[in-house]
């Protein structure tokens, strides 16, 4: 997590501690969006705040707490900070072997990471070796030995070619790309994230024809076509759609078995494009209930945990109505329930094709009255302006003694 406040950090950690293996505090990010809020690398200049945050977390949760830092201007300062962190009771310290103003093109300071490893008793995780050291699995051990660290953390090198973790050696990049795309399609990964990861893999090849096509891609299907995997995309998508339909049918069957048989159900959806501005089925239903002297409609909406979709039941005159479809929002679900009720009762629902709807006509009259009143007001103002006396200053009025 990124944080600059011990108590807020603890509140968040307690929310998630049962769902995670550990809590790590980022104290090395040099990006402005992090440092301007006092987080990330901004903490490196405030050891007291670092101590407060880590001590609060260590005492307040049951899971291990770790942190990641960058090195300070001098080796001695960095070792002193690492010892302060060790005293808070953290389980490990990750060290990015660059100063906060340094970037990946600058050499990683293995000597400083090694000095920290030798100065503290908690595990030290070495980071920052992607550019200088790590090209394949054997390089991980070389970086670990150079820093005397307990383990190694890898970011960019793993994005460039995830197969660096193969002890037998990395796979050809084309093979890795194809395997990655298969995962992206099977798990419906968003195309923008997929494209970003592929750009990280291609690197120098981004300027060739294939790389330029990748930059222009706007969907997973387009990405697959670029890498000659169009048929895989179509076949996999068809299988996924069939599975989705099967699961929805199963869920619908289970829902139907559990649902109240007294509810009138209709397969309807609300599409706001079919209705005039400011007219909705809920408004039409409310207007009808008032006219018929019924209590106003009562909506009960539930959220399905599995996919977080909504369905609503509306009660009108002691009868319940709903749509058979699950909607993306509570508002859409309520509108669909209102449509089911109106159509069952044979009452106009306010669609554009129902211009004779009482509510539509009422709105029209209201708008016309507003327009008429507005025009009448403008006429009165214009008339008053014409009648307003005009004063021409005399010569004696233009001078002040």
């Amino acid at each position: 997590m990124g944080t600059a406040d011990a108590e807020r950090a603890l509140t968040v950690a307690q929310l998630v501690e049962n769902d995670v293996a550990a809590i790590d505090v980022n104290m090395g990010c040099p990006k402005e969006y992090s440092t301007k809020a006092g987080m990330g690398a901004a903490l490196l200049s405030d050891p007291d705040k670092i101590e407060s945050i880590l001590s609060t977390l260590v005492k307040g949760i049951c899971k291990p707490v770790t942190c990641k830092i960058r090195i300070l201007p001098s080796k001695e300062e960095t070792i002193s900070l690492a010892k302060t962190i060790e005293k808070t009771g953290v389980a490990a310290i990750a060290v990015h072997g660059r100063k906060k103003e340094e970037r990946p093109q600058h050499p990683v300071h293995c000597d400083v990471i090694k000095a920290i490893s030798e100065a503290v008793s908690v595990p030290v995780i070495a980071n920052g070796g992607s550019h200088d050291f790590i090209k394949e699995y054997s390089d991980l051990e070389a970086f670990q030995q150079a820093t005397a660290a307990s383990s190694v953390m890898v970011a960019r090198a793993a994005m460039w070619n995830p197969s660096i973790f193969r002890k037998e050696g990395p796979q050809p990049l084309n093979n890795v790309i194809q395997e990655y795309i298969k995962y992206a399609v099977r798990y419906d990964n968003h195309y923008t994230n997929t494209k970003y990861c592929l750009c990280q893999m291609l690197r120098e090849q981004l300027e060739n024809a294939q790389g330029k096509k990748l930059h222009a891609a706007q969907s997973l299907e387009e990405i697959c076509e670029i890498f000659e995997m169009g048929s895989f995309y179509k076949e996999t998508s068809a299988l996924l759609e069939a599975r989705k339909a099967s699961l929805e049918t199963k869920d619908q069957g289970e829902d139907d078995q559990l649902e109240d048989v007294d509810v009138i159900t209709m397969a309807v959806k609300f599409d706001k494009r079919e209705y005039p501005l400011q007219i909705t089925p809920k408004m039409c239903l409310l207007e009808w209930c008032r006219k018929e002297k019924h209590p106003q409609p009562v909506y009960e909406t539930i959220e399905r945990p599995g996919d977080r979709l909504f369905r609503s039941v509306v009660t009108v005159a002691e009868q319940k109505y709903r749509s058979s479809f699950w909607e993306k929002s509570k508002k859409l679900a309520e509108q669909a329930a209102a449509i089911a009720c109106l159509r069952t009762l044979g009452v106009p629902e306010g669609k554009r094709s129902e211009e004779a709807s009482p509510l539509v006509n009422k709105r029209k009259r209201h708008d016309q009255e507003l327009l008429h009143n507005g025009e009448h007001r403008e006429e009165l103002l214009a008339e008053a302006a014409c009648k307003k006396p005009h004063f021409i200053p005399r010569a004696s009025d233009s001078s002040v003694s």
Side-chain angles (χ1 to χ4, degrees):
M1 67 169 70
T3 183
D5 183 280
E7 293 306 318
R8 291 181 68 185
L10 178 59
T11 299
V12 173
Q14 288 173 337
L15 282 174
V16 301
E17 69 171 318
N18 292 328
D19 304 307
V20 299
I23 297 289
D24 181 71
V25 182
N26 184 325
M27 299 182 175
C29 179
K31 298 291 186 181
E32 185 185 4
Y33 64 76
S34 185
T35 58
K36 71 180 180 182
M39 302 184 293
L43 289 170
L44 296 175
S45 57
D46 194 343
D48 291 339
K49 184 175 284 188
I50 287 178
E51 186 175 7
S52 173
I53 291 170
L54 295 176
S55 297
T56 300
L57 287 171
V58 169
K59 294 173 184 175
I61 65 173
C62 299
K63 296 293 174 67
V65 176
T66 62
C67 70
K68 181 184 176 186
I69 64 171
R70 281 182 173 242
I71 64 175
L72 299 177
S74 73
K75 185 184 295 185
E76 292 71 25
E77 288 178 276
T78 311
I79 292 172
S80 176
L81 176 62
K83 288 183 175 180
T84 297
I85 291 171
E86 180 183 25
K87 290 176 185 176
T88 66
V90 295
I93 305 172
V95 183
H96 184 153
R98 292 184 178 86
K99 300 170 186 176
K100 64 180 180 181
E101 65 273 9
E102 292 180 327
R103 293 298 176 265
Q105 64 269 25
H106 295 102
V108 60
H109 301 276
C110 292
D111 59 319
V112 181
I113 302 177
K114 184 177 182 181
I116 295 171
S117 299
E118 294 171 347
V120 298
S121 58
V122 294
V124 171
I125 305 167
N127 176 239
S130 291
H131 191 276
D132 300 329
F133 277 86
I134 302 168
K135 302 294 182 292
E136 57 185 39
Y137 183 84
S138 59
D139 297 331
L140 296 170
E141 186 176 356
F143 184 51
Q144 182 182 8
Q145 290 176 351
T147 56
S150 303
S151 55
V152 172
M153 178 184 289
V154 186
R156 287 173 301 122
M159 286 200 298
W160 296 337
N161 189 332
S163 68
I164 60 165
F165 298 109
R166 289 182 77 248
K167 291 183 179 180
E168 303 82 5
Q171 293 272 20
L173 188 59
N174 284 341
N175 294 1
V176 174
I177 286 174
Q178 289 204 342
E179 284 301 308
Y180 171 70
I181 292 174
K182 287 179 181 178
Y183 277 111
V185 173
R186 286 173 184 148
Y187 292 95
D188 196 24
N189 193 42
H190 198 279
Y191 85 90
T192 55
N193 179 260
T194 303
K195 183 162 77 170
Y196 174 82
C197 292
L198 290 171
C199 286
Q200 294 295 316
M201 295 180 197
L202 288 177
R203 299 173 71 197
E204 302 87 2
Q205 301 175 44
L206 284 174
E207 294 306 314
N208 64 25
Q210 189 181 52
K212 290 177 180 178
K213 287 180 181 178
L214 176 62
H215 265 304
Q218 295 296 310
S219 67
L220 269 179
E221 185 174 10
E222 287 183 36
I223 291 172
C224 287
E225 293 289 347
I226 292 166
F227 291 93
E228 300 180 350
M229 297 177 66
S231 58
F232 170 81
Y233 177 85
K234 291 175 182 176
E235 291 169 8
T236 305
S237 296
L239 289 172
L240 291 174
E241 283 299 319
R243 186 181 178 203
K244 179 181 177 183
S246 173
L247 290 171
E248 286 177 348
T249 302
K250 180 182 177 183
D251 288 343
Q252 184 64 54
E254 291 174 354
D255 290 340
D256 291 342
Q257 291 175 9
L258 297 172
E259 284 166 354
D260 189 346
V261 293
D262 295 330
V263 180
I264 295 175
T265 304
M266 188 179 292
V268 292
K269 279 182 171 286
F270 171 67
D271 185 346
K272 66 179 181 180
R273 295 170 297 184
E274 297 179 352
Y275 297 82
L277 289 174
Q278 300 181 330
I279 301 294
T280 65
K282 284 183 68 176
M283 293 170 59
C284 293
L285 182 56
L286 179 60
E287 189 78 10
W288 182 82
C289 287
R290 286 173 176 169
K291 180 182 175 183
E292 299 296 322
K293 295 183 171 52
H294 291 307
Q296 71 178 38
V298 177
Y299 294 87
E300 298 175 82
T301 306
I302 59 171
E303 180 182 7
R304 192 163 60 184
D307 49 18
R308 304 194 68 179
L309 294 178
F310 297 85
R311 189 158 67 174
S312 185
V313 173
V314 61
T315 302
V316 174
E318 299 184 356
Q319 177 62 58
K320 296 180 179 181
Y321 307 84
R322 65 157 171 253
S323 167
S324 60
F325 294 112
W326 292 82
E327 299 288 354
K328 292 181 179 179
S329 72
K330 181 175 178 285
K331 290 182 179 179
L332 290 175
E334 290 180 352
Q335 296 291 359
I339 293 172
C341 177
L342 290 165
R343 291 187 185 178
T344 301
L345 297 171
V347 177
E349 60 193 77
K351 295 176 76 170
R352 293 184 188 276
S353 57
E354 301 171 350
E355 291 298 333
S357 165
L359 186 57
V360 172
N361 291 333
K362 181 179 178 181
R363 283 280 177 180
K364 281 185 175 179
R365 288 195 301 271
H366 179 65
D367 292 344
Q368 286 170 356
E369 287 172 6
L370 288 176
L371 180 62
H372 174 73
N373 292 339
E375 290 174 348
H376 183 57
R377 182 173 178 274
E378 288 176 5
E379 289 172 1
L380 291 173
L381 289 172
E383 186 178 345
C386 292
K387 293 179 179 179
K388 185 176 180 180
H390 295 275
F391 296 96
I392 302 174
R394 295 173 298 180
S396 59
D397 293 334
S398 60
S399 60
V400 179
S401 57

